[in-house]
Amino acid sequence: GGDIIAAVTSAHPGLLVGTIASGAVTVAGYKVLAKGLDAVGIVNAFVLGTLAFAAFGAGGYGMVCLYFLFGTAVTKVKLAQKEKEGIAEARGGKRTWRSVWGSGLAAAICAAFALATGSYETFAAGFAACFASKLGDTTSSEIGKAYGTRTYLSTTFREVPRGTEGAVSLEGSLAGVAAALAMSVVSLPLGLASSPSVAALVFVSAVIANYAESILGATVQTKSEESTGIVALLTNDVVNVLQTSLASLIAVLVCGNFV
């Protein structure tokens, strides 16, 4: 019994313990997961959870859970109004496997590199930055669509309709920054940020990546629906991967070299 508790509470439990723990939570919490993910999405979330727990223990898994719970909650804020205006997430806000990896691929790669190299502190910062960035982005988008009174393109600051790709509102932007800050602060007690300076790095990385995403949305992604070639590949989920990867990359490079 003591060995099992020690393994589960270890800072870096490894893949076997990660698989068992993620599997147990997935089965026990299936009804909750099903409110925000379709069936294939849940399977993919299990894989993401396994890597998170294996590399960063309960703290890493806790961050995935916090992102899922709060991301699902803000998606459903004023959902009926968003659906009426045609700017809601499809499927009543339920996410697919594409959303799982759009949100968590960079974090999964950080977890895999941490397991492979043993550089847990550096890659934990990248892991946390991925979810701080994504929750900030999801929150700013969903709160902006629900409460944004005036929305502007992030490049020209020209006023555009709510729900436009790359559009920002004061309400959404403030909510997004607050969400990214909250995830960055939480990364300390979860053991992902080794010091307040690393938590600050997680926050700054997330904010930079989120602004870059809004510029990409305003300039390139809006053209992707009627374009061919590389631009046509820039779906929302692909842009999410680019955004979170940028946040993780900044955090890993700075943490690995300067912090």
Side-chain angles (χ1 to χ4, degrees):
D3 290 345
I4 294 172
I5 292 170
V8 171
T9 57
S10 164
H12 317 296
L15 280 171
L16 177 60
V17 175
T19 302
I20 294 169
S22 182
V25 174
T26 301
V27 171
Y30 188 87
K31 284 187 176 180
V32 176
L33 288 167
K35 291 179 181 178
L37 290 166
D38 64 16
V40 180
I42 290 173
V43 173
N44 283 268
F46 156 73
V47 175
L48 174 60
T50 295
L51 284 167
F53 204 106
F56 306 119
Y61 196 84
M63 178 155 276
V64 177
C65 293
L66 282 173
Y67 166 73
F68 173 77
L69 290 171
F70 284 103
T72 300
V74 295
T75 300
K76 294 186 183 297
V77 170
K78 289 198 172 183
L79 185 61
Q81 173 192 304
K82 293 173 190 171
E83 287 175 335
K84 189 177 177 183
E85 294 178 13
I87 55 174
E89 284 291 320
R91 300 168 300 277
K94 273 198 177 187
R95 309 278 176 158
T96 67
W97 66 269
R98 292 182 179 86
S99 292
V100 171
W101 296 118
S103 302
L105 182 62
I109 291 170
C110 284
F113 270 102
L115 288 165
T117 65
S119 299
Y120 289 103
E121 183 178 341
T122 297
F123 287 108
F127 180 93
C130 170
F131 287 113
S133 170
K134 192 66 199 77
L135 186 64
D137 174 55
T138 300
T139 302
S140 73
S141 172
E142 295 298 336
I143 296 302
K145 285 190 282 191
Y147 295 105
T149 48
R150 303 176 79 176
T151 48
Y152 305 87
L153 277 184
S154 53
T155 47
T156 62
F157 294 101
R158 179 170 57 86
E159 194 167 347
V160 290
R162 278 192 300 193
T164 302
E165 283 296 347
V168 294
S169 67
L170 179 62
E171 296 86 350
S173 297
L174 289 175
V177 168
L181 180 61
M183 287 294 260
S184 304
V185 170
V186 165
S187 69
L188 273 167
L190 291 179
L192 296 166
S194 54
S195 68
S197 60
V198 175
L201 167 62
V202 167
F203 174 65
V204 171
S205 302
V207 171
I208 291 171
N210 288 11
Y211 189 66
E213 186 272 340
S214 66
I215 291 173
L216 189 65
T219 55
V220 180
Q221 197 180 351
T222 46
K223 301 182 182 75
S224 66
E225 290 178 8
E226 59 266 8
S227 298
T228 57
I230 292 175
V231 173
L233 298 175
L234 289 175
T235 63
N236 195 47
D237 295 316
V238 172
V239 169
N240 286 340
V241 170
L242 295 175
Q243 168 206 328
T244 50
S245 296
L246 177 60
S248 294
L249 188 62
I250 294 169
V252 166
L253 290 177
V254 176
C255 187
N257 292 288
F258 301 107
V259 178

